[in-house]
Amino acid sequence: MAVPAYRHISYLHATPHRVWHALTNPDESGLYWGHRNVSTWQPGAHWEHQRADGSGVADVVGTVESADRPNRLVTTWAGPGEQRPAGPSRVTFELHSHRDLTRLTVTHENLADEAERADAEAGWSAVLSNLKTYLETGHPLPQDPWTMPEP
């Protein structure tokens, strides 16, 4: 049986360096993601996806598997203390420049099942839409898109 994965491609009017900074800077990621991405971003380093409410609570943790600024970032992804039989899931960010655009491909692999893949799709679609708006206008969307109810 194939292990589910989710892949999302966005085209952003920003440089790869600018997109990389928005993904890896704690203060900036907290503006459009609702979580601060905290790490040194060196291969082997720990990283945390901390709530932006100032509590310091990390809802997702992992390890930086590889970091090639500003082209590719690979992290493991799991809840704190979560033990998964197949190991943590993995998120890969790939950034490619073309003139004034960056193509950002996010692949979330090793998801447990179709329900987790559907959750990843909903979450990444909301976060990456908010990232695009933030980078192109200087402001995130007026409401957190992940709180919008399904029709």
Side-chain angles (χ1 to χ4, degrees):
M1 183 172 145
V3 177
Y6 175 71
R7 184 174 177 217
H8 184 97
I9 299 172
S10 298
Y11 296 88
L12 306 150
H13 186 207
T15 67
H17 283 281
R18 182 70 188 98
V19 176
W20 180 279
H21 188 265
L23 291 169
T24 60
N25 179 274
D27 295 330
E28 203 160 13
S29 61
L31 293 174
Y32 68 85
W33 203 328
H35 283 78
R36 302 172 78 247
N37 292 322
V38 179
S39 179
T40 64
W41 305 110
Q42 299 301 310
H46 179 77
W47 82 276
E48 293 189 349
H49 194 56
Q50 296 176 357
R51 294 178 190 171
D53 61 8
S55 68
V57 173
D59 290 315
V60 178
V61 296
T63 301
V64 176
E65 289 190 343
S66 67
D68 175 21
R69 181 181 185 183
N71 305 305
R72 189 168 192 270
L73 176 65
V74 182
T75 63
T76 61
W77 186 279
E82 181 181 11
Q83 297 296 316
R84 298 164 53 118
S89 63
R90 175 178 294 107
V91 175
T92 301
F93 300 90
E94 295 176 287
L95 296 84
H96 297 279
S97 179
H98 179 70
R99 297 186 185 155
D100 295 336
L101 299 178
T102 295
R103 181 179 60 227
L104 171 62
T105 304
V106 177
T107 306
H108 198 152
E109 303 173 278
N110 200 33
L111 298 166
D113 51 30
E114 185 55 34
E116 191 172 57
R117 194 212 61 78
D119 288 346
E121 179 178 1
W124 284 116
S125 293
V127 167
L128 296 173
S129 293
N130 211 14
L131 170 63
K132 179 175 176 61
T133 299
Y134 171 70
L135 287 174
E136 294 178 356
T137 69
H139 305 282
L141 291 166
Q143 293 88 37
D144 294 336
W146 47 87
T147 63
M148 188 172 181
E150 292 293 321

